[in-house]
Amino acid sequence: MCERGVFLWAINRGKSRVSEQYDPQTLQAKWQRRWEELDLFRAEDSPEDPRPRKYMLDMFPYPSGDLHMGHGEVFAIGDMLARYWFQLGYNVLHPIGWDSFGLPAENAAIRRNAHPAEWTYANIETQAESFRRYAPSFDWSRRLHTSDPEYYRWNQWLFNRFYERGLAYRKGGLVNWCPNDQTVLANEQVVQGKCERCGADVVRRELTQWYFKITDYADRLLDDMAMLEGGWPERLLTMQRNWIGRSTGADVLFEIEGRDEPVTVYTTRPDTLFGATFFVVAPDAPLAERICAPDHREAFEAYRSEVAKLSDIERLSTEKEKTGVFLGVHAINPVNGERLPVWAADYVLSDYGHGAIMAVPAHDQRDLDFALKFGLPVRVVVHTGMADPGETGTATAGDGSMVNSGPIDGLSKEEAIAKIIEILAGEGKGRAAVNFRLRDWLLSRQRFWGTPIPIIHCPDCGEVPVPDEQLPVVLPDMRGEALAPKGVSPLATATEWVNVDCPKCGGAAQRDTDTMDTFVDSSWYFLRYCSPGYEGGPFDVEQVRKWGPIDQYVGGVEHAVLHLLYARFFIKVLYDMGMIDFYEPFVRMLNQGQVVNMGKAMSKSLGNGVDLGEQIDNFGVDAVRLTMLFAGPPEDDIDWADVSPGASQKFLARALRVMTEAGAGTPPGASPEGGDLALRKVTHRTIDEVTKLLDSYRFNVAVARMMELTSAARKAIDSGPGASDPAVREAAETLAVMLSLATPYTAEEGWERLGRPVGIGRAGWPKADPALLVQESVTCVVQVAGKVRDRLDVVPDISEADLEALALASDKVKAHLSGAAPRRVIVRAPKLVNIVP
RNA sequence: GCCCCCGUAGCCCAAUGGCAGAGGCAAACCCCUUAAAAGGGUUGACGUGUGGGUUCGAGUCCCACCGGGGGCACCA
């Protein structure tokens, strides 16, 4: 396997031998220039334009060097759809821009003693050049960079709006800190306890930080997913649902002996309240500190500092033994007055629910593990028919009938939950409650290359937003060593920039020195494309109304609970602000697979990297794009060792020859009427099928159909009516337009050789003639007992009765029936008859 | 541990419950050629991971298992 992979890879890297006949580099040089003059793919904002609109969006790139194979795939897929819509006559918005704030630029700047902008904009230019060669149908006039002050100004403007609505706020608490990147991270950026960017172990720190109140929208983020059903990949929806993690249950109030204030716990199983035998608080919650008995304080504090040392991965491991300490106090069970010992244990999280739980060991595995370890009682209150958890060590979490539970004895789980909530509510000791796994979006970053948070801290007025008319708050000019991470934002050292007058009272004040998470930038960039130069706001409301929402979004699944969640949140806030009129930003979403090599993700350490530019140099843009599309379904991974850009190139050479010969055979405009009927039928059937295939993302199959059409035309030229038959021209022109979606250079060259004017990208999608789609005869399979025994040529609209009679009259059928009358005959006209003897 | 997706030719992949093969790679052979390359053409499953089931009919639907991939996983 490996050897074969290396071998194929070696071939893929070699210069192709078809280059003498078909030279992609020449075609690229020739057409790229002429297309730039033509500017075919500009989206038209004018309301006068009668064409229906479509918005096609590819996730915009981060400028970390040149384009790579992954970009090659996304943009090949996105462009296939965009160009298809152009050919269908839509007014298509297909923009491009750069997600150009972020850490790599800053790290590069520190290394090179430069400004992050130098690295960033140099890379953007490199990528832009590569894009021009790769030839996606972008409307370049809408290009944007999120690191431009004209763009991030609106991040600040939006921050102010969020702030006004109480959706941006500052709070202290434990946050995720990446010791490598020297900044805090949002929950979404911590994967398995590690930094999503750099993989370093994330630690907890107590810091005051800015948040966006995404939890206010948790219900809508979850419920509105019903609208995305069918348009989004199911697994993406599942990931978001899991991430939001809504659960329903009850808040229950417990008195603590010796304290006036009750403590609230959240539980999804209020029905098991009579089974509570102890009480647990999170050691790092302020509550634990408050209620701990003085004579247990020492042990508690020792335990707490022990827990604080653990990394998230260690603490969250399900394998880990339960630990905890008794706090020397008791809670009172509100339903039966029982005294429950209160423990602190790290399996209870401080930031979920209320940081405290009632423990029901019989019916919760975690509580049971803890009870068994510390010798706490186990009381069964749900009779499930399973063995006693106290004996088996396996908690019974299922449904059953309530026992040992006073007023709810005998009830089922559902009934008991309703009843107990009713009882608690009646006594003011509890109520139904909903909880979410989703936390607020931690927004601040202690790094330089991002949007400054537009807040001024005034000793007298407190937090004062920078007035809109003073935006943007532009980053100070800092470079090199000054940007090195120090645990606080580099902006804090820019004294001149930091010290300002308070906009409210005019007194001495200081700017907030953190920058925004760069996911703010990408949460609304697709709205900016609708009116890129607009100065009256982040976007022209009218234009977004016309272009939005996005009909098709293409990008990687790695943003499932990052960008895609944040953007949905932004859209809902903007909807509430009355700025847009749709609920969801992305109607349809496609996650392309990864491009890998030899079964593994490409990486420097494996030495299996494949360079997009090199592939293009060797095989040409068209062959690379075609290979991406033909390799398999778009959502599948492509193993570059399994595919053959060289073969794609050979196919394109073959297709171009067909177009060349057809162009020489007949003049443009020749009517295909009277041309070779068999070829015409192939052409029209191909149109019909490819159209349907493209409508359902079946690009690989669509390309296969184009190959078949090419072969059919080749055959017609060589051993059929010859190149001068008008049906050959029809086939070649159809082929050219279809190929233009995937391989624009070859298609344009062929189009020219067919005598057509430059601009195949807008030539128009061919229409299948229904008259040429009907077959005058169909092969009908006749089965006896499910086995094929005969084939009949029949007219497609044959009646069931006629077909049955015909089938039963067949000699072969008669032979297999050997005279017996059939028991049953299933007729599926015109394709099949099955006779059950 | 729980949930989801996928197993079709040596390989990548097609096939509204109706003849297992559309397309490509690789291979073998043929034509073209002085020869090679380029070009043109021909050839492929004894049954769809395994075992059951539903059905007139199953790659397709259902159940179990095996193998691969992904998601979630102390969230009370």
Side-chain angles (χ1 to χ4, degrees):
Chain A
M1 158 72 201
C2 201
E3 269 177 36
R4 184 185 57 88
V6 171
F7 176 64
L8 285 176
W9 186 42
I11 290 181
N12 287 358
R13 286 170 65 97
K15 285 272 183 191
S16 166
R17 301 201 192 90
V18 285
S19 53
E20 293 99 52
Q21 275 74 34
Y22 167 84
D23 181 8
Q25 309 305 335
T26 308
L27 297 187
Q28 286 160 212
K30 171 177 174 187
W31 292 113
Q32 190 184 320
R33 220 187 43 237
R34 301 203 42 194
W35 288 337
E36 268 157 39
E37 290 158 13
L38 265 178
D39 196 16
L40 273 185
F41 302 115
R42 203 177 271 257
E44 182 51 64
D45 288 325
S46 160
E48 255 89 273
D49 194 302
R51 296 171 297 164
R53 298 183 185 215
K54 286 274 190 188
Y55 190 169
M56 166 72 218
L57 186 67
D58 320 282
M59 282 187 187
F60 66 165
Y62 179 79
S64 59
D66 203 349
L67 299 180
H68 53 67
M69 294 298 278
H71 292 121
E73 188 186 6
V74 188
F75 289 97
I77 290 168
D79 200 40
M80 184 106 180
L81 282 168
R83 284 176 176 270
Y84 177 51
W85 287 343
F86 274 115
Q87 295 290 21
L88 287 173
Y90 288 103
N91 183 11
V92 182
L93 174 54
H94 186 204
I96 184 65
W98 276 268
D99 187 15
S100 51
F101 264 143
L103 264 184
E106 201 166 333
N107 293 336
I110 297 164
R111 277 198 311 275
R112 303 164 178 207
N113 193 30
H115 193 282
E118 294 169 23
W119 183 88
T120 301
Y121 288 91
N123 284 344
I124 288 176
E125 280 321 307
T126 304
Q127 292 195 346
E129 254 331 286
S130 294
F131 268 136
R132 288 183 191 280
R133 180 163 76 145
Y134 207 59
S137 55
F138 292 147
D139 178 347
W140 282 95
S141 71
R142 292 166 193 262
R143 168 175 178 174
L144 60 81
H145 318 119
T146 58
S147 54
D148 291 350
E150 305 81 66
Y151 184 86
Y152 70 73
R153 166 187 183 179
W154 301 112
N155 282 346
Q156 295 168 337
W157 187 92
L158 287 163
F159 178 94
N160 282 350
R161 301 292 84 72
F162 277 50
Y163 185 80
E164 287 161 7
R165 303 176 76 84
L167 293 170
Y169 68 98
R170 220 155 67 112
K171 73 166 181 199
L174 286 174
V175 296
N176 304 304
W177 174 266
C178 174
N180 181 47
D181 290 340
Q182 294 275 307
T183 182
V184 297
L185 300 170
N187 268 340
E188 288 76 12
Q189 286 153 23
V190 181
V191 180
Q192 314 263 312
K194 291 178 188 297
C195 171
E196 171 257 342
R197 261 205 73 256
C198 71
D201 284 356
V202 168
V203 298
R204 293 270 177 172
R205 272 203 180 182
E206 176 81 30
L207 287 171
T208 297
Q209 299 284 302
W210 285 97
Y211 292 84
F212 274 156
K213 212 166 183 191
I214 192 171
T215 52
D216 269 11
Y217 286 76
D219 271 317
R220 282 162 67 184
L221 286 167
L222 196 63
D223 294 337
D224 288 354
M225 264 184 257
M227 301 178 205
L228 305 176
E229 210 77 58
W232 280 37
E234 198 48 50
R235 69 169 174 154
L236 215 55
L237 296 175
T238 305
M239 286 167 78
Q240 289 213 356
R241 285 194 186 104
N242 285 340
W243 189 260
I244 297 166
R246 180 164 64 194
S247 77
T248 56
D251 279 345
V252 185
L253 271 60
F254 283 70
E255 299 295 337
I256 304 288
E257 273 181 358
R259 281 178 54 90
D260 298 335
E261 243 179 288
V263 170
T264 308
V265 303
Y266 171 73
T267 176
T268 54
R269 294 295 302 273
D271 55 315
T272 62
L273 195 46
F274 285 89
T277 57
F278 58 103
F279 194 95
V280 189
V281 297
D284 47 354
L287 178 68
E289 169 95 50
R290 282 207 303 272
I291 66 176
C292 183
D295 56 331
H296 286 75
R297 185 153 296 269
E298 202 176 319
F300 163 65
E301 279 171 6
Y303 177 63
R304 186 174 56 182
S305 57
E306 203 63 31
V307 168
K309 277 187 227 151
L310 295 177
S311 74
D312 269 24
I313 334 157
E314 288 168 316
R315 181 168 169 182
L316 294 179
S317 165
T318 42
E319 318 291 289
K320 189 176 142 280
E321 278 264 314
K322 293 279 181 287
T323 58
V325 289
F326 178 50
L327 294 183
V329 292
H330 288 80
I332 305 300
N333 189 330
V335 290
N336 57 13
E338 275 184 9
R339 297 175 76 232
L340 307 176
V342 178
W343 289 65
D346 68 353
Y347 81 94
V348 172
L349 307 176
S350 61
D351 58 353
Y352 183 79
H354 308 282
I357 62 156
M358 63 174 207
V360 184
H363 307 296
D364 182 288
Q365 190 61 46
R366 298 156 296 181
D367 296 343
L368 182 60
D369 292 344
F370 192 84
L372 293 177
K373 172 139 186 215
F374 293 99
L376 295 157
V378 178
R379 185 195 301 149
V380 173
V381 291
V382 186
H383 182 73
T384 59
M386 309 278 282
D388 181 358
E391 317 257 303
T392 60
T394 304
T396 55
D399 201 352
S401 126
M402 306 305 302
V403 293
N404 300 323
S405 293
I408 55 171
D409 272 350
L411 298 182
S412 72
K413 178 174 157 183
E414 285 311 309
E415 294 163 343
I417 289 174
K419 181 75 179 172
I420 203 86
I421 289 175
E422 189 190 318
I423 293 171
L424 289 168
E427 298 172 4
K429 289 176 177 172
R431 59 185 170 283
V434 175
N435 245 296
F436 294 92
R437 188 182 176 278
L438 180 71
R439 308 293 147 84
D440 276 339
W441 173 7
L442 203 172
L443 188 68
S444 330
R445 293 294 178 274
Q446 288 70 48
R447 296 299 299 250
F448 172 78
W449 193 230
T451 306
I453 292 174
I455 289 285
I456 292 168
H457 299 281
C458 171
D460 295 323
C461 313
E463 292 165 0
V464 181
V466 175
D468 288 350
E469 59 278 10
Q470 290 176 30
L471 299 180
V473 177
V474 178
L475 285 166
D477 188 7
M478 293 175 74
R479 55 179 48 235
E481 192 46 37
L483 304 173
K486 303 163 195 66
V488 292
S489 174
L491 289 176
T493 64
T495 324
E496 280 190 30
W497 181 87
V498 170
N499 292 311
V500 286
D501 296 340
C502 169
K504 220 180 233 173
C505 70
Q510 299 197 307
R511 290 194 190 281
D512 198 292
T513 57
D514 284 350
T515 52
M516 295 182 202
D517 183 357
T518 54
F519 279 107
V520 174
D521 313 353
S522 52
S523 289
W524 64 279
Y525 75 107
F526 44 91
L527 303 175
R528 186 76 185 162
Y529 283 137
C530 298
S531 50
Y534 191 64
E535 292 190 3
F539 52 88
D540 181 341
V541 168
E542 207 40 52
Q543 287 304 331
V544 169
R545 205 184 303 277
K546 295 213 175 90
W547 286 114
I550 286 148
D551 294 286
Q552 180 64 59
Y553 200 19
V554 181
V557 73
E558 65 273 14
H559 287 112
V561 293
L562 290 159
H563 163 56
L564 291 173
L565 185 68
Y566 298 142
R568 293 184 60 224
F569 163 58
F570 258 62
I571 288 307
K572 291 181 193 305
V573 175
L574 289 166
Y575 178 88
D576 289 350
M577 288 167 58
M579 291 184 71
I580 54 176
D581 61 356
F582 46 88
Y583 298 99
E584 285 292 335
F586 314 121
V587 175
R588 295 219 293 182
M589 178 73 219
L590 172 65
N591 289 132
Q592 86 286 357
Q594 305 272 303
V595 184
V596 302
N597 191 20
M598 295 179 275
K600 293 195 176 67
M602 296 181 202
S603 76
K604 267 192 190 130
S605 57
L606 287 171
N608 66 340
V610 178
D611 183 74
L612 179 66
E614 235 171 71
Q615 293 295 309
I616 291 172
D617 289 344
N618 291 339
F619 304 104
V621 166
D622 284 352
V624 170
R625 289 177 51 146
L626 190 72
T627 303
M628 298 278 186
L629 294 162
F630 183 57
E635 57 276 9
D636 285 7
D637 285 353
I638 299 172
D639 192 331
W640 207 249
D642 285 339
V643 295
S644 175
S648 297
Q649 199 190 23
K650 273 158 91 170
F651 162 71
L652 290 171
R654 181 173 146 93
L656 186 57
R657 277 198 306 278
V658 164
M659 294 184 265
T660 309
E661 289 167 47
T666 48
S671 166
E673 298 285 336
D676 182 69
L677 194 61
L679 180 59
R680 294 206 67 206
K681 285 190 167 188
V682 173
T683 302
H684 285 262
R685 202 174 59 236
T686 304
I687 296 168
D688 185 55
E689 286 182 12
V690 169
T691 305
K692 287 174 183 155
L693 288 164
L694 292 175
D695 287 337
S696 48
Y697 299 151
R698 315 280 313 281
F699 310 124
N700 56 327
V701 188
V703 170
R705 295 287 170 273
M706 296 177 204
M707 290 175 169
E708 287 178 83
L709 179 59
T710 308
S711 294
R714 177 79 263 151
K715 206 170 250 174
I717 293 170
D718 290 345
S719 50
S724 58
D725 189 288
V728 169
R729 165 168 285 275
E730 185 184 36
E733 290 192 353
T734 300
L735 181 64
V737 175
M738 287 179 166
L739 277 177
S740 76
L741 312 185
T743 64
Y745 291 107
T746 309
E748 188 77 76
E749 179 68 20
W751 199 237
E752 183 184 59
R753 296 188 193 181
L754 282 158
R756 297 293 190 173
V758 60
I760 192 171
R762 299 289 284 273
W765 194 247
K767 272 203 167 53
D769 179 350
L772 290 167
L773 293 178
V774 301
Q775 316 257 14
E776 60 262 357
S777 86
V778 187
T779 303
C780 175
V781 174
V782 184
Q783 300 177 333
V784 178
K787 286 193 165 59
V788 180
R789 297 303 183 190
D790 200 4
R791 292 183 169 81
L792 306 170
D793 278 337
V794 298
V795 293
D797 55 352
I798 190 167
S799 73
E800 291 203 351
D802 289 352
L803 188 58
E804 179 173 342
L806 215 56
L808 289 171
S810 149
D811 291 339
K812 288 174 187 161
V813 168
K814 279 181 187 156
H816 280 94
L817 283 175
S818 48
R823 254 195 313 151
R824 206 174 146 188
V825 181
I826 292 109
V827 184
R828 293 284 177 272
K831 296 190 72 174
L832 179 128
V833 178
N834 188 14
I835 299 161
V836 187

